[in-house]
Amino acid sequence: MQPDINADRATAVNVDAPLSSIPQAAPLKSGGRVPMALWQAALGIAVLLVWQGASGRLVDNFFISNPLDVGARLYRWTMDGTIFQHIGATLYATGMGFVIGSVGGAVLGIWLGVSPFASRLLNPYLNALNALPKVALAPLFVLWFGLGIESKIALAAVLVLFLVFLNTFAGVREVDQDLIDGARLMRATRAQVIIKVIIPSAMSWVFAGLKIAMPYALIGAVLGEMIAANRGLGYLVQFSGSQFDTAGVFAVLFVIALLAVGLNHLVDMVQSRTERWRIVSR
Amino acid sequence: MIRIENVSKSFYKRDTAVDAVQNMNLTIERREIVAVIGPSGCGKSTLLNMIAGLYAPTRGRVVYKDAPVSGINTDVGYMTQKDSLLPWRSVRDNVAFPLELAGVAKAERSDRADQVIQHVGLRGFEERYPNELSGGMRKRACLGRMMLYGAETALLDEPFAALDAQLKLAMHDLMLRLASENDQTVVLVTHDLMEAVTLADRVLVCTRRPATIALEQRIDLERPRDVLNVRFSSAFKEHYDTLWERLRVEYSEDRV
C-alpha cells in the first residue's frame, strides 16, 4: 500500500547492515593462538606510531597534529574538568532528542500502520518531509527554540523521528496476518490486537530503527552545537577549528567516537534484554 | 448448526479467477464430528476459513446457528495448518493467551494453562519459546490453546499431520474425549483417511479444485471409540474401502 515509505525503510535498514555484520573479535581459545583483541590493539598502536612519525616530517604538524599533543590535550581537559561539561551538554541533547524522537516516531509509525486511511492521507507529505535534509531545519529551530539546548534537542529529535517512524511503520505492516486473525478469532478487541500482537511483533523493526537512529541523534546534537552554541562537543570542535587548533579538533573527535560506540552498545544491550525469544533461536 | 448453502469461492490473481470451492452444500449438526478429506490444495482450508468468517464466499452463504456469517466468527476455535503461536511468548503464555484476552487473572490462567500443557504432553516445556520446539510440539501447543479457548466449534486444519504415529493416537484419543466433554462440534480437515474414519461421524470426500463434495459417508461406528483398535473391525474396513475407492479417483486424475 505504501511502496514509497517501504522503499525508504529498506534503504534505511541497509545503512546499518555492513556495520553490524562486521564479525566480533573471536574469543580467546585455549592454546597458543594470539587473540584477535591483541591484533586489534597492535593495529591501533601501529597507526598511532605512523601518525606520530609522519607528523612534522611528511605532513605539517599544523594539519594533522600528532597523537602526543592530542593525548596531552585530552589529559588537560579531563584534569580541569572542562570536557565533562561539554560531554554532558551533548549527551543531554542526544539523549533527550533520542527519547523524544523515538517515542514520537514509534507512536506515529504504529498509528499510521494500523490506520490505512491516515497513512494514505499523509503519505505524500511524509515522503516530502522525509526527503528534506533535516539539518536544513536547524536555522528554523534556532529561531523557534533559541540558542540554548532546546534547539539541539529538536534537531536530534527530528532526525531520529523519521528513522524510527519508517522502521516502525514497516514493522507494523509486516505483522503476520494469521497472528492477527488468530487473536481476533479468540475474541481479541482491536486494542488487544494492537497491544498484544502488533506491537510485540513490530518490536524487532522498532529496535532496528532505534539502532540506526542512535548515531543520528548524536549527529543532530553535535550539528546543532556547531551552528550556534556555547557548550557541547559540537561547539568545542567548531571552536578548536576556528582557532586552528588541530590537536583540539582531534581530541574532540576522539571523544565523540567514544560516545557513539558507547551509545550503540547501550541500544544493543537493551535489545538483547527485551528480545530474549529471538536470541534463544540462534 | 453450520449450513453451507450453495457456496462458491474464487480467488483473483490479477485478471484470472481461481475457483477454490464450487457450489458446495453441507449441513453440520451440533456435536457432530465431520472430517473433510481430499487431494491437497483442493480448497478444504478455504472452507474452514469461510466458516471462521475470515473469507466471505463469492456466492452463496455460510450460516452459523441460524445467522449468516459476516466477519470474524468468534464462536469457533480455529487451528490453522500453519501454527500461529506468538513467537515472543513462552508456551505457557501462548496457551493461556485466550484467557488473557478474556481478562482472567494471571495465577488462574497459568494454572489452567499448565493443566492443558500436561494434557498435550508438553510438560517441562512451559517456559520454552515456539522456535525452540519441534513442529509437532508447536502443533500440540496450538491444540492446547484451542482447548483452553473452549470454543463451541473446533475447526481443525490437518492438526495431527506433523506428529509421529504413537503421539497421533494419543492426540486422537484426547481430541475425542475433549470434544465429547465440551460438547464440541468439530470440522476436521485431513488427508489421512485412517484418521478421518477413526474420528468422524461423517466423512466428506472432496473433489480436486474447485472443491465440491464427491461422496458423503456416515461412519456409524459406536462411541466412545477406541482409537487404537477401531481400525481392526470389519465395519471400519468397509467404510475405509468405500471411501478409498472414491478418493482414488481424485488422486488418479490428479496424476494425469
Side-chain angles (χ1 to χ4, degrees):
Chain A
M1 274 215 180
Q2 304 280 312
D4 302 339
I5 289 183
N6 279 338
D8 276 338
R9 188 271 314 152
T11 51
V13 172
N14 286 340
V15 167
D16 192 46
L19 275 177
S20 57
S21 61
I22 293 174
Q24 292 300 300
L28 176 57
K29 290 191 187 110
S30 57
R33 291 191 54 196
V34 184
M36 186 45 80
L38 276 186
W39 284 111
Q40 287 167 335
L43 176 65
I45 289 165
V47 168
L48 288 179
L49 285 175
V50 171
W51 182 5
Q52 184 71 41
S55 172
R57 293 183 184 85
L58 298 173
V59 188
D60 193 333
N61 192 47
F62 175 79
F63 291 116
I64 60 166
S65 186
N66 65 72
L68 289 181
D69 283 358
V70 173
R73 181 64 54 85
L74 279 174
Y75 180 75
R76 206 182 78 215
W77 280 347
T78 313
M79 283 299 113
D80 66 13
T82 48
I83 193 73
F84 296 115
Q85 158 196 349
H86 295 297
I87 291 177
T90 303
L91 266 185
Y92 181 72
T94 305
M96 288 298 285
F98 183 70
V99 169
I100 295 170
S102 304
V103 172
V107 168
L108 194 68
I110 290 165
W111 175 52
L112 292 190
V114 299
S115 156
F117 176 77
S119 68
R120 284 172 64 187
L121 177 71
L122 297 177
N123 186 24
Y125 301 104
L126 287 172
N127 274 320
L129 279 177
N130 187 43
L132 182 80
K134 258 68 74 183
V135 287
L137 296 171
L140 202 56
F141 289 150
V142 172
L143 280 175
W144 287 350
F145 302 109
L147 294 170
I149 197 127
E150 292 82 4
S151 55
K152 286 86 200 166
I153 293 175
L155 191 58
V158 83
L159 281 173
V160 169
L161 187 133
F162 273 89
L163 290 168
V164 174
F165 159 69
L166 289 172
N167 270 275
T168 307
F169 181 81
V172 170
R173 283 306 173 91
E174 284 292 308
V175 176
D176 188 346
Q177 187 62 38
D178 291 352
L179 296 183
I180 296 174
D181 287 341
R184 289 175 67 205
L185 281 167
M186 291 186 272
R187 296 202 172 97
T189 61
R190 185 171 157 79
Q192 282 177 323
V193 168
I194 293 173
I195 293 166
K196 293 184 192 293
V197 180
I198 292 178
I199 292 178
S201 176
M203 221 48 209
S204 54
W205 290 74
V206 176
F207 270 112
L210 293 182
K211 232 153 115 177
I212 298 162
M214 188 82 248
Y216 283 86
L218 189 60
I219 291 171
V222 169
L223 226 115
E225 287 162 357
M226 288 175 74
I227 289 164
N230 54 15
R231 276 200 307 163
L233 296 169
Y235 157 76
L236 196 58
V237 76
Q238 172 77 12
F239 178 78
S240 304
S242 67
Q243 303 287 307
F244 305 114
D245 174 12
T246 326
V249 172
F250 275 111
V252 182
L253 290 181
F254 179 76
V255 174
I256 293 175
L258 271 189
L259 272 184
V261 170
L263 290 173
N264 283 344
H265 190 63
L266 204 68
V267 177
D268 279 347
M269 265 166 40
V270 173
Q271 179 172 24
S272 57
R273 283 186 77 92
T274 50
E275 297 212 317
R276 207 161 67 85
W277 64 273
R278 202 177 275 281
I279 287 162
V280 291
S281 69
R282 290 198 184 123
Chain B
M1 187 179 84
I2 304 171
R3 287 205 312 276
I4 311 290
E5 298 177 346
N6 292 315
V7 164
S8 299
K9 175 73 187 172
S10 312
F11 293 100
Y12 292 91
K13 219 177 204 177
R14 295 204 183 86
D15 290 335
T16 54
V18 179
D19 299 321
V21 176
Q22 199 165 47
N23 284 330
M24 190 178 272
N25 279 289
L26 171 65
T27 303
I28 297 166
E29 301 300 329
R30 179 98 185 86
R31 282 190 282 280
E32 193 180 16
I33 299 178
V34 173
V36 181
I37 192 163
S40 53
C42 78
K44 299 175 302 237
S45 303
T46 307
L47 176 68
L48 294 190
N49 279 331
M50 286 191 291
I51 298 173
L54 296 174
Y55 298 162
T58 312
R59 281 185 303 279
R61 60 177 195 163
V62 178
V63 179
Y64 188 91
K65 286 208 293 193
D66 301 322
V69 173
S70 61
I72 296 283
N73 180 356
T74 55
D75 287 335
V76 305
Y78 190 1
M79 188 171 155
T80 50
Q81 205 167 348
K82 199 181 104 191
D83 66 77
S84 59
L85 297 172
L86 302 173
W88 54 89
R89 284 170 169 257
S90 66
V91 168
R92 178 185 289 129
D93 289 346
N94 259 302
V95 172
F97 190 51
L99 297 179
E100 187 180 325
L101 291 175
V104 175
K106 192 172 170 59
E108 190 195 334
R109 63 177 192 246
S110 292
D111 270 4
R112 287 175 57 188
D114 284 354
Q115 280 174 24
V116 170
I117 287 168
Q118 197 175 347
H119 258 318
V120 295
L122 285 178
R123 203 170 169 185
F125 292 89
E126 292 91 343
E127 307 288 340
R128 300 296 188 89
Y129 291 93
N131 57 23
E132 296 176 281
L133 305 180
S134 69
M137 289 159 98
R138 287 204 286 269
K139 285 277 179 192
R140 281 185 276 158
C142 287
L143 198 64
R145 183 177 64 181
M146 208 186 65
M147 288 171 189
L148 213 50
Y149 179 56
E152 165 181 78
T153 298
L155 306 178
L156 306 173
D157 196 350
E158 300 190 1
F160 312 116
L163 305 181
D164 62 68
Q166 282 80 3
L167 199 56
K168 207 183 247 189
L169 282 176
M171 289 290 113
H172 285 166
D173 189 50
L174 183 63
M175 194 217 93
L176 287 181
R177 230 172 48 226
L178 284 159
S180 86
E181 271 171 26
N182 301 323
D183 283 339
Q184 271 181 324
T185 308
V186 179
V187 183
L188 169 75
V189 162
T190 177
H191 51 225
D192 179 350
L193 184 53
M194 189 76 88
E195 176 174 291
V197 180
T198 306
L199 297 176
D201 296 314
R202 193 152 48 113
V203 177
L204 308 171
V205 178
C206 276
T207 58
R208 294 182 313 140
R209 191 155 46 191
T212 48
I213 292 165
L215 177 68
E216 196 177 323
Q217 175 90 354
R218 193 159 286 282
I219 311 293
D220 45 11
L221 303 169
E222 65 178 17
R223 291 203 183 269
R225 283 185 199 165
D226 176 349
V227 293
L228 180 59
N229 292 313
V230 71
R231 65 184 59 179
F232 302 116
S233 70
S234 58
F236 185 97
K237 191 175 178 323
E238 261 169 51
H239 287 305
Y240 187 92
D241 290 345
T242 319
L243 285 162
W244 178 235
E245 271 313 304
R246 185 62 188 84
L247 203 54
R248 200 163 56 183
V249 178
E250 295 305 322
Y251 277 103
S252 59
E253 277 178 22
D254 213 23
R255 240 170 243 144
V256 174

